[in-house]
Amino acid sequence: MSTSNTWASYWTRIIPAWSVCGIAILLVCSFLVQPYGKGEPGRRHGAATAWQFVLGFYTVALHILSILFPARVCYALGHVIKEIKENAALANDRRYVSNIQTVETEKGTTPAPLFVILLPAYKEDMGTLEETLRVLASHAQARHCYHIYLAMEEKEEKSAMKAQTLIDTFRRCFYRMSFTIHPLGIPGEAQGKSSNESWAAKQACMDYSEELEKQNVIITTMDADTHLSPRYFQQVARMHFDFPETRDTTMYVPPLVFDRNLHRVPLPVRTADLMWAGAGISSLYSGSLVCIPTSVYSLPMTLVEQVGGWDTGPGAIGEDLHMYIKCFFALSGNLDVKVVWAAASHCNVASDMRGIAGYMDGLSARYKQALRHMWGTLDTGYAIRECVKMVRRHRRATHMPSDLPLSAPKYVCDGIKVVRQQLLTTRSANWTAFYTSSGLHKSLVPRFPITDTETAPPKPIHVWNMMVLFLRLFEAHFLPIHLSVILTTSSIFMLFTPTFLVPEFLRAALDFAGWCRLGGWLLMMGYFWRYEQYHRLCVGLRQEEMRKAGLLEDMLANDGFCFSTYLHRAGALDAALFPLGGFIFGAIPALQAVLSHIFTDRLTYVVSLKPQQLAMRSWESITP
């Protein structure tokens, strides 16, 4: 990488840190340099200074966003509940459930669509993996179209033996099972889920290298403790066939639900995860074109190839958002996202220790997970860099061959050999070799011709989607920090400053912010109330699926269901104290992350603590 690109990467990655420094300067100038405005100290307030005007307007803007977010979450959650109910009812209608089709290739008959399921398994508990595979194996379509890839790590001792044991146990339950071992010491790579998925995806692309196969392969990535409903894959399959014109540019995203061990985690952890689920749900409403995935998502193999697979550098630690951004800008903002109305079941981060030690260990584990999540603020800089590349690509479009879409990466343009050579030398060596052997360029040509001699015109930059994406990034990476810092400092200022000395404009802005916080708190109460309905709906549906699969007894024994988010006498306390969880597991780790990015972009990847699962009672009941 050239020196200029290195510096551009550095200065864009620390934009959130620069914003914190800007807020600090603004607060110092507003509250310390001229705290009483332009008036005389000790007498009466004067007109607000320019710094105080800026602070007042920005505070009001932040608090308006803080109201719009929970309002959007409540609206989205109502829509999610309605759609899940309707799709669950239709799933019982045999006419509605898509049958698995087949296509003839040079290798023989292949199911369509074929689901390649990547299951990262670095230092994961064997019981957790067994339970996740057992849930997948209970799906009626598993034997016909699920190819499971256990994505193991060389760093984990005996990982190959662990994977082979799982394959020997489950191989007859799926269409195919494979495992990959991600090697250590690859230059430029950072340990984490993204690197693991990238390695497994390369193997999958080589296993299904025929063009006809690729068109009907859908890659799903999930966490080791994720339980997916058969309705998830049924809906994805149906949408794959119902929308052939966009199947190569579509990402499939489900809502999340933490429904398994809420009763075994500290209250702040519980509320933080409920808010995390809400953040993912907030964009899953009718008319939303920017739906960012959280942990679980599916996308076609052709799209994976088009963008060059998952990134493996330290900036890709938040692989779900990072991959979304990568696909989003590769398609100039025209990435089509379809919501899958089948919630993905997750566990909260938990400790198996008991008592005060277990309580503190659970808080520590959740903070480490929050820091890893907030380390994803690196994606703000990544989005800016990708946006600049996209604009430059479109500006050069008139010089490109007419048979390439505007969304094609620069290195496939034969007409600009110098640029192509530079890009090939800077990209991952593994993906470069893979590109030359897999016919990657073929997947970049539009598949649906207008006539026999004319291909479909490329789509222009989707400006509205760009604006919405950057607003979502601001909400995720800037709003929690800025709001917490301004709220804390302004509260201290107002506590020690007589009201009559505060400039009228600044006091009015802070008063308005206080009412906004009250409105936001009430809206969040509404969210938690709606989430309880959503939670019960998801648990009821999953419980019925497990009953039909013969797994209900084992799930109950393993704490596989938590039937309510409100526990015992705590009641609304779970919800009312959400600002505490948001501050501890949102603002503080976010501030730590963005300040750390000034010095490094690498974070040691630590696997989140999961509840230990009991040994399986019996496997014979569902083994074919």
Side-chain angles (χ1 to χ4, degrees), residues 463-511:
V463 179
W464 176 255
N465 282 359
M466 296 289 169
M467 295 171 60
V468 174
L469 174 64
F470 280 105
L471 177 61
R472 297 287 188 268
L473 292 176
F474 181 85
E475 288 180 343
H477 299 162
F478 295 84
L479 182 61
I481 305 175
H482 292 191
L483 199 59
S484 298
V485 171
I486 291 177
L487 174 59
T488 302
T489 54
S490 62
S491 298
I492 295 174
F493 173 75
M494 294 300 292
L495 180 64
F496 292 100
T497 304
T499 304
F500 72 92
L501 292 178
V502 180
E504 186 175 353
F505 174 80
L506 183 59
R507 187 179 72 247
L510 295 179
D511 288 344

Side-chain angles (χ1 to χ4, degrees), residues 43-58:
R43 292 191 177 181
R44 59 181 299 275
H45 62 73
T49 64
W51 292 103
Q52 290 171 336
F53 271 110
V54 173
L55 176 62
F57 280 119
Y58 190 60

Side-chain angles (χ1 to χ4, degrees), residues 170-485:
F170 290 91
R171 71 166 69 246
R172 291 184 294 171
C173 301
F174 300 104
Y175 175 73
R176 286 181 65 184
M177 284 191 77
S178 307
F179 74 90
T180 59
I181 305 292
H182 177 236
L184 288 171
I186 300 178
E189 287 201 1
Q191 180 187 351
K193 183 180 176 183
S194 190
S195 299
N196 205 335
E197 290 172 340
S198 176
W199 191 262
K202 291 169 194 171
Q203 182 61 50
C205 290
M206 288 187 286
D207 289 344
Y208 299 99
S209 57
E210 290 187 31
E211 191 65 24
L212 193 57
E213 286 180 315
K214 293 177 185 178
Q215 295 178 19
N216 290 292
V217 175
I218 298 174
I219 298 179
T220 298
T221 177
M222 54 190 283
D223 290 344
D225 65 325
T226 302
H227 290 182
L228 289 176
S229 166
R231 292 179 289 110
Y232 176 87
F233 296 99
Q234 291 168 2
Q235 289 182 43
V236 172
R238 188 172 60 254
M239 289 186 284
H240 176 77
F241 290 119
D242 288 350
F243 303 97
E245 68 282 358
T246 59
R247 66 172 56 156
D248 290 333
T249 58
T250 297
M251 181 177 285
Y252 305 94
V253 178
L256 298 187
V257 60
F258 291 91
D259 63 344
R260 307 227 286 279
N261 63 329
L262 283 173
H263 56 301
R264 295 193 179 276
V265 299
L267 187 150
V269 173
R270 186 159 60 243
T271 55
D273 283 334
L274 295 182
M275 294 172 67
W276 182 254
I281 292 172
S282 65
S283 61
L284 307 184
Y285 56 89
S286 178
S288 176
L289 300 178
V290 176
C291 304
I292 299 174
T294 307
S295 301
V296 182
Y297 56 97
S298 299
L299 65 172
M301 180 177 283
T302 51
L303 181 57
V304 172
E305 284 192 338
Q306 177 172 343
V307 302
W310 278 264
D311 285 342
T312 58
I317 191 169
E319 54 83 30
D320 41 14
L321 174 59
H322 191 89
M323 187 60 169
Y324 178 88
I325 292 174
K326 189 174 187 180
C327 296
F328 183 90
F329 285 104
L331 298 173
S332 303
N334 295 290
L335 176 64
D336 186 42
V337 180
K338 298 191 184 303
V339 181
V340 184
W341 308 111
S345 168
H346 281 257
C347 291
N348 301 84
V349 172
S351 171
D352 286 321
M353 299 173 63
R354 293 291 180 262
I356 297 298
Y359 190 92
M360 299 306 297
D361 192 42
L363 292 176
S364 175
R366 184 59 180 85
Y367 186 86
K368 291 177 182 177
Q369 185 188 56
L371 180 61
R372 191 176 75 240
H373 289 162
M374 297 307 173
W375 208 262
T377 54
L378 290 168
D379 284 323
T380 292
Y382 175 72
I384 293 172
R385 295 192 297 273
E386 289 299 299
C387 185
V388 171
K389 291 179 183 178
M390 177 196 66
V391 172
R392 290 177 177 174
R393 185 173 69 237
H394 278 259
R395 287 180 177 176
R396 285 195 300 267
T398 55
H399 303 291
M400 283 188 170
S402 59
D403 62 339
L404 287 178
L406 292 181
S407 60
K410 293 179 286 186
Y411 60 88
V412 300
C413 180
D414 295 332
I416 311 176
K417 295 182 179 180
V418 175
V419 174
R420 177 180 182 275
Q421 183 61 36
Q422 290 176 347
L423 285 169
L424 284 174
T425 57
T426 59
R427 294 183 69 87
S428 166
N430 290 324
W431 276 109
T432 301
F434 178 61
Y435 159 75
T436 59
S437 64
S438 66
L440 172 58
H441 61 286
K442 296 178 182 178
S443 67
L444 302 176
V445 180
R447 298 182 183 278
F448 303 98
I450 297 176
T451 66
D452 293 338
T453 59
E454 182 183 4
T455 58
K459 293 184 178 180
I461 295 175
H462 200 305
V463 179
W464 176 255
N465 282 359
M466 296 289 169
M467 295 171 60
V468 174
L469 174 64
F470 280 105
L471 177 61
R472 297 287 188 268
L473 292 176
F474 181 85
E475 288 180 343
H477 299 162
F478 295 84
L479 182 61
I481 305 175
H482 292 191
L483 199 59
S484 298
V485 171

